[in-house]
Amino acid sequence: MKKYKLYKSGKILVTGLFIAGLVALTGISNANADVTDTTQTNVAVVATQADKATTTISSSTDDNKNVTTTDNSGIKNSLSKADTENGVAKTEVDKDSQKQETVSQAKQDTENTVTNKSEDTQVADNNKSQSSETTKAQETKSTLTDNSTDNSAKQESTNEFDVTKKPNSSVSEQSVARSKVKVAQQPIKNGWVNENGRQLYYDNGRIVVGEKKIDNAWYNFDSAGKYSTGLTNLATKTVFYDNNGQMHYGYLKTDNTYMYFDTRDGHAVTGERYYGNHQMEYYGQDFKQVRNAYVRTGNTYYFIGQYGDAVTGERYYDNYKMEYYGQDFKQVRNNYVRTGNTYYFIGQYGDAVTGERYYDNHKMEYYGQDFKQVRNNYVHTGNTYYFIGQYGDAVTGLRVYGNQPNQVEYYDKNNFKQVRNADINENGKNYHFGGNGDLIIADKPAYFSQLDWRWGNHRFNDYTMAQAGCVPTSVAMVLNGSYGIRVSPDDVRNVMNIISTNSFGATGQDLINATRYYGHTANIVNTVEQTVQLLQQGVPVIHFVGVGGGITHAIVTYGYNNGATQVFDPYNQAYFNGWYNVNYIASRISRDSGDWNAGRPVFAIM
């Protein structure tokens, strides 16, 4: 009875175990597939719930003697006789449902792939355990079915169902290939990428944000990865990126103005920029180059020309004004400027001074309309005269010039003006200055008449003084009145009778010889202009003039006022009396050859 039952049960058990082994093999092949990421994704091995089920079967029958088997991994499995029979029956009934459950569970486990290394290790260990359990089940089947099965057959069975090794059959290879699931992943992005019309730059899969040097050019990317263009404020500087996003260096023309970006780090330049052979530009806080305008930094001024360079030297502007800029490009203010032998003075507002400039302890300088300081020369403004010395200061007091005794001037100590037609007392001595500013060394001539009874009938050459004594009488008026020599016309007549060579009257040479006899000179005057100058200086001038009927006559002129001079006529003022225009007198000059024997018949007595 027991034999039949054992045989029958064993037969059923062997058949059931064979079918269960095929189902288990299919489940393991489909579920225990490796999931491989071609982009270096972690590898995970997933086991089905069916594989995780225990392979130890127990029985509640009296025949509960356990059968212990060991798989290739060394794990022991215990089976009792009764449990085996019950297990076969259960396997036959649940075969279809278990297969479906195994496939479903394998699919779910595959989707929940574990990428963690520790979990991979755990899954691998589970697979190893499951393989051992499958092997144990197969060994149990082989033992119960055919005791003649040798160890080599047992090993083949183990190798056939060991999922830790590569399957040998083509069926197993196709089953494993179908179970592999590839996870789709995009390749890691690097470099420039066009995304929706925007150029983005990736570095190891990440969008670059901020400054980045790419192919020797600097870029700047905003928080969305878009590269900057135009003026851009960075953390420590302002720069310019062109339309391609590359940082710009050097000059940049925009909106009819210029900017300059440093050639080292690209920052927009502000303030002074020195370049080239001592040249300077200026850029405002808006980074624009200043042109044709002033620049002020503190108390310093610059002027930037029309081409962007700072001006040096003279700058003329507006209605003939001048400024001056030094070699350091700074505008000179309230200071002297010297260029060669020329001096300027620049006022407190930057304009060159013209006219009088008073400074220090009552000193004066004078600057012409060309802004140059006058030195060692006269200055004439209206009816006022100044003389500026060799160091640029206006002269005061007596000024001696030339070799003549009358070449003395006087400049007022209060207003620097030259004294004219006035008397000055200097150091207890009186001086009289004429209309031209020169010292008058001769006073007004004394008047004598050649017809005076005291000498009128006295003989002069072949005639009398009354007839031909105009020259000795004129010389006597000048020597006596102007120079204080106590002589009369009769005294001069006696001298000229000795030295004169003419039989009627006296010639020009006779006048020169007689004047020299008394220690003075008679200088020939060649032009009307010289005559005017001498008269302005207070020098008496004797003219030989024609008075009609072929008669020539000598007269004395003295002083000058508004083109006229006072005439002293020795012929009892019969021909001239009072003030006459100098040009009129010049038109009456004698044509007698004897009067011209020393040169022109006009003589300055000094």
Side-chain angles (χ1 to χ4, degrees):
M1 184 69 179
K2 289 182 180 179
K3 288 183 178 180
Y4 174 75
K5 185 176 182 180
L6 179 61
Y7 173 76
K8 185 176 182 180
S9 298
K11 185 177 181 180
I12 296 172
L13 176 61
V14 171
T15 304
L17 288 175
F18 178 75
I19 295 173
L22 291 176
V23 172
L25 178 61
T26 305
I28 291 172
S29 299
N30 290 331
N32 283 354
D34 291 342
V35 180
T36 304
D37 185 355
T38 58
T39 60
Q40 298 182 354
T41 304
N42 292 331
V43 178
V45 180
V46 182
T48 65
Q49 293 297 326
D51 296 333
K52 294 177 182 179
T54 180
T55 59
T56 302
I57 304 174
S58 62
S59 175
S60 61
T61 63
D62 294 336
D63 298 329
N64 55 2
K65 183 179 180 179
N66 292 331
V67 180
T68 302
T69 61
T70 303
D71 62 6
N72 291 335
S73 63
I75 299 175
K76 293 181 178 182
N77 295 308
S78 298
L79 294 174
S80 66
K81 185 186 299 183
D83 290 340
T84 302
E85 291 176 351
N86 293 335
V88 171
K90 185 177 180 180
T91 301
E92 289 289 343
V93 174
D94 296 333
K95 180 172 65 175
D96 293 335
S97 62
Q98 184 178 1
K99 181 178 180 180
Q100 294 177 356
E101 181 181 354
T102 301
V103 173
S104 176
Q105 186 63 38
K107 180 178 181 181
Q108 180 178 354
D109 290 342
T110 302
E111 293 173 348
N112 295 326
T113 301
V114 180
T115 60
N116 190 283
K117 179 178 180 181
S118 63
E119 292 176 351
D120 291 344
T121 304
Q122 181 179 355
V123 173
D125 292 342
N126 290 337
N127 288 339
K128 182 177 181 181
S129 175
Q130 291 166 3
S131 175
S132 299
E133 292 171 356
T134 304
T135 304
K136 182 177 180 181
Q138 182 63 34
E139 288 174 351
T140 302
K141 174 184 174 183
S142 300
T143 302
L144 294 176
T145 304
D146 188 2
N147 292 329
S148 64
T149 303
D150 58 13
N151 290 333
S152 63
K154 182 178 180 180
Q155 184 65 37
E156 284 181 14
S157 175
T158 302
N159 291 337
E160 180 179 357
F161 294 97
D162 188 1
V163 296
T164 63
K165 297 181 180 181
K166 181 176 180 182
N168 294 325
S169 66
S170 60
V171 175
S172 297
E173 289 176 352
Q174 293 175 0
S175 176
V176 172
R178 285 196 301 270
S179 67
K180 291 185 177 181
V181 178
K182 292 185 179 180
V183 179
Q185 268 196 346
Q186 293 181 350
I188 296 176
K189 297 179 181 179
N190 275 298
W192 290 105
V193 177
N194 190 324
E195 294 185 0
N196 299 324
R198 293 192 311 162
Q199 286 290 333
L200 305 178
Y201 193 85
Y202 282 83
D203 186 1
N204 198 24
R206 293 185 178 182
I207 296 176
V208 172
V209 174
E211 294 183 81
K212 177 73 173 176
K213 190 173 186 180
I214 304 170
D215 296 332
N216 293 323
W218 279 98
Y219 297 80
N220 182 64
F221 300 90
D222 63 16
S223 58
K226 179 182 178 182
Y227 61 71
S228 301
T229 59
L231 276 178
T232 303
N233 293 321
L234 301 179
T236 60
K237 60 185 176 181
T238 298
V239 299
F240 188 91
Y241 297 99
D242 62 22
N243 291 334
N244 295 320
Q246 296 183 355
M247 184 180 290
H248 181 83
Y249 301 91
Y251 288 102
L252 177 69
K253 184 177 182 181
T254 174
D255 297 331
N256 294 323
T257 189
Y258 287 84
M259 298 180 182
Y260 189 85
F261 298 89
D262 189 80
T263 55
R264 294 169 298 176
D265 67 357
H267 75 270
V269 171
T270 59
E272 300 95 334
R273 175 181 174 258
Y274 298 89
Y275 76 101
N277 186 17
H278 191 62
Q279 292 178 291
M280 190 195 87
E281 304 169 321
Y282 196 92
Y283 295 85
Q285 292 303 307
D286 58 357
F287 312 112
K288 295 180 180 179
Q289 185 189 75
V290 176
R291 290 196 169 198
N292 202 33
Y294 290 97
V295 168
R296 178 181 179 180
T297 60
N299 292 323
T300 299
Y301 291 81
Y302 305 100
F303 189 85
I304 312 301
Q306 60 180 331
Y307 299 113
D309 289 326
V311 171
T312 60
E314 300 95 334
R315 175 182 174 257
Y316 298 89
Y317 74 102
D318 285 354
N319 187 18
Y320 199 63
K321 295 181 180 179
M322 190 193 88
E323 303 169 322
Y324 195 92
Y325 295 85
Q327 291 304 304
D328 58 358
F329 309 104
K330 297 178 180 179
Q331 185 190 73
V332 176
R333 289 197 168 199
N334 203 33
N335 209 346
Y336 291 96
V337 169
R338 178 180 179 180
T339 61
N341 292 323
T342 299
Y343 291 82
Y344 304 99
F345 189 85
I346 311 301
Q348 60 179 330
Y349 300 112
D351 289 326
V353 170
T354 60
E356 300 96 334
R357 175 181 175 257
Y358 299 88
Y359 73 102
D360 285 354
N361 187 19
H362 193 59
K363 294 182 180 180
M364 190 194 88
E365 302 169 322
Y366 195 91
Y367 295 86
Q369 293 303 305
D370 58 358
F371 310 105
K372 297 178 181 179
Q373 185 190 74
V374 175
R375 290 197 168 200
N376 203 33
N377 209 343
Y378 291 97
V379 170
H380 180 199
T381 61
N383 292 323
T384 299
Y385 290 82
Y386 303 101
F387 189 84
I388 311 301
Q390 60 179 330
Y391 300 113
D393 290 326
V395 170
T396 60
L398 289 171
R399 173 180 175 260
V400 178
Y401 73 98
N403 297 320
Q404 299 299 325
N406 68 316
Q407 292 179 326
V408 179
E409 302 167 325
Y410 190 88
Y411 294 88
D412 192 282
K413 294 180 180 179
N414 294 319
N415 58 23
F416 309 100
K417 295 179 180 179
Q418 186 189 76
V419 172
R420 293 192 170 199
N421 293 320
D423 294 325
I424 295 296
N425 186 289
E426 182 78 4
N427 297 325
K429 185 177 180 180
N430 291 324
Y431 298 90
H432 181 74
F433 296 92
N436 70 339
D438 284 341
L439 175 67
I440 295 176
I441 58 174
D443 292 331
K444 188 177 182 179
Y447 182 76
F448 294 112
S449 172
Q450 67 188 79
L451 301 178
D452 192 298
W453 60 271
R454 289 175 292 178
W455 48 75
N457 292 325
H458 295 174
R459 189 174 185 84
F460 178 56
N461 291 333
D462 296 338
Y463 297 87
T464 63
M465 284 285 290
Q467 293 175 316
C470 61
V471 174
T473 302
S474 294
V475 172
M477 285 193 286
V478 171
L479 293 176
N480 190 293
S482 297
Y483 297 110
I485 299 175
R486 297 296 180 178
V487 293
S488 67
D490 201 40
D491 295 328
V492 178
R493 175 190 65 82
N494 289 328
V495 171
M496 294 189 73
N497 274 333
I498 298 171
I499 62 175
S500 176
T501 59
N502 192 32
S503 61
F504 183 83
T507 65
Q509 191 63 52
D510 292 336
L511 183 148
I512 291 173
N513 293 335
T515 302
R516 186 179 297 139
Y517 176 86
Y518 287 99
H520 286 266
T521 59
N523 296 327
I524 297 173
V525 182
N526 293 312
T527 65
V528 176
E529 290 75 18
Q530 288 180 342
T531 301
V532 170
Q533 184 179 9
L534 290 165
L535 292 173
Q536 289 177 332
Q537 293 174 358
V539 177
V541 178
I542 296 176
H543 292 76
F544 287 0
V545 297
V547 293
I551 300 173
T552 61
H553 186 46
I555 59 174
V556 178
T557 59
Y558 178 83
Y560 184 84
N561 185 14
N562 198 25
T565 185
Q566 187 176 4
V567 177
F568 297 82
D569 178 5
Y571 199 72
N572 209 23
Q573 301 187 106
Y575 300 108
F576 298 91
N577 186 13
W579 290 78
Y580 293 83
N581 186 278
V582 175
N583 289 325
Y584 170 74
I585 294 172
S587 67
R588 302 286 297 273
I589 292 297
S590 170
R591 302 301 175 186
D592 186 273
S593 59
D595 296 336
W596 284 75
N597 67 351
R600 193 167 182 268
V602 180
F603 307 92
I605 311 301
M606 302 177 71

